[in-house]
Amino acid sequence: RGEKDEAAAHFRTAIEEDDSLALAHHNLAGLLRAGGDLETSLRHYRRALELDPGNANTPKNMGFLLVQLKRNDEARGLFEKALELAPDDPDAHVGLGDVLVEQGMLEEAKSHYERALELAPNHGTGLRQYAFLLMRLGSADEAISRFEQAREQLSDDAGIYCGLADALNARGRTEEAEKNYVKALELYPEFGLAWNNYGDLLSRAGRSTEAIEAYSHAQTLRPDDPNILLNLGRLYAREK
């Protein structure tokens, strides 16, 4: 067995011996979450929170787990609890920002991302998420700056390269945008959204054959996305 399996086995044994060990529940929950057993992880986080309600890490990590489970209302309450206990935790501010974005509360999300970056200016995830929000708010130039900062911290994150490419493309900087789409796809060849957006760039540049290839990759990866089919249809119609 691997080291994580050994660690999990020890935490389980500790809990069997004494179910009141909050840290054992918390640590086991983290390992279970990493291994994909989300519901069992949630059960151990709940027990850890019950045993030690003053540990800010527990509601924070439980919040991230609930985001994975798409239970954003519950996640929001837990991030808020984490911030009551530890107001200067940048991770909790980013987590709450993410939930608020999903709930359509963009200005409130913006304030939490900004607070996270005040506390930790090189917070890669915070920079990335803030940049995506800025794009939604129509601030492409500022988004470019934040994506570039995020790229310095998370150089192998394909999403950052795709987001940066989108922002550069929005500002007419197509050569730079193309380089970033290509990099995103080198890092993650199965990135359907990046293939689609790269196809948009190629189509607008009149590079129809390449655009069709890009859209076809996107359609294979995202067969239920009607926008990709629309893009392909328009391109084929234009070619005729």
Side-chain angles (χ1 to χ4, degrees):
R1 295 189 298 179
E3 291 183 359
K4 290 184 178 180
D5 289 336
E6 289 289 346
H10 285 297
F11 291 137
R12 285 192 179 94
T13 301
I15 291 166
E16 289 171 4
E17 295 291 330
D18 184 354
D19 184 59
S20 69
L21 293 173
L23 188 58
H25 283 284
H26 182 274
N27 291 345
L28 179 57
L31 290 171
L32 291 167
R33 178 188 167 205
D37 189 351
L38 303 188
E39 290 295 340
T40 308
S41 173
L42 181 60
R43 187 165 66 248
H44 284 283
Y45 275 134
R46 289 195 191 284
R47 181 62 175 149
L49 188 60
E50 176 186 329
L51 292 166
D52 185 8
N55 182 348
N57 287 324
T58 303
K60 177 183 71 177
N61 292 334
M62 193 172 165
F64 284 118
L65 172 58
L66 287 166
V67 168
Q68 286 181 264
L69 292 168
K70 302 187 184 305
R71 292 161 61 174
N72 287 324
D73 289 342
E74 293 173 78
R76 178 178 173 180
L78 285 156
F79 286 128
E80 289 172 342
K81 178 175 178 59
L83 287 169
E84 287 175 10
L85 295 167
D88 293 338
D89 185 329
D91 294 334
H93 280 287
V94 171
L96 181 53
D98 290 346
V99 170
L100 291 168
V101 167
E102 290 297 317
Q103 294 180 332
M105 303 175 70
L106 303 189
E107 289 299 329
E108 292 86 346
K110 186 171 184 281
S111 69
H112 282 285
Y113 289 141
E114 289 173 343
R115 180 57 180 152
L117 294 173
E118 287 175 6
L119 293 163
N122 294 323
H123 194 294
T125 303
L127 288 162
R128 179 189 65 200
Q129 299 303 92
Y130 186 38
F132 280 120
L133 176 59
L134 290 167
M135 282 293 289
R136 290 186 61 171
L137 294 172
S139 301
D141 287 328
E142 189 177 358
I144 289 169
S145 175
R146 295 298 187 171
F147 276 128
E148 288 174 338
Q149 289 176 276
R151 184 178 58 185
E152 293 178 8
Q153 305 302 319
L154 301 170
S155 61
D156 60 351
D157 187 319
I160 290 172
Y161 289 93
C162 183
L164 177 56
D166 290 344
L168 290 164
N169 200 23
R171 300 301 296 154
R173 296 164 61 178
T174 54
E175 289 186 12
E176 295 170 83
E178 181 170 4
K179 290 177 182 177
N180 281 279
Y181 283 132
V182 169
K183 181 63 176 178
L185 292 165
E186 286 176 1
L187 290 167
Y188 184 28
E190 297 182 346
F191 196 164
L193 179 63
W195 279 115
N196 180 72
N197 295 358
Y198 186 30
D200 289 343
L201 180 150
L202 294 166
S203 178
R204 284 193 289 268
R207 295 158 61 183
S208 298
T209 301
E210 293 171 88
I212 288 170
E213 183 179 354
Y215 285 139
S216 296
H217 279 299
Q219 197 273 325
T220 299
L221 294 163
R222 299 173 64 138
D224 298 325
D225 188 334
N227 292 313
I228 297 171
L229 294 171
L230 176 63
N231 291 334
L232 271 169
R234 285 176 171 172
L235 196 53
Y236 277 118
R238 190 173 75 190
E239 283 297 285
K240 290 180 181 180

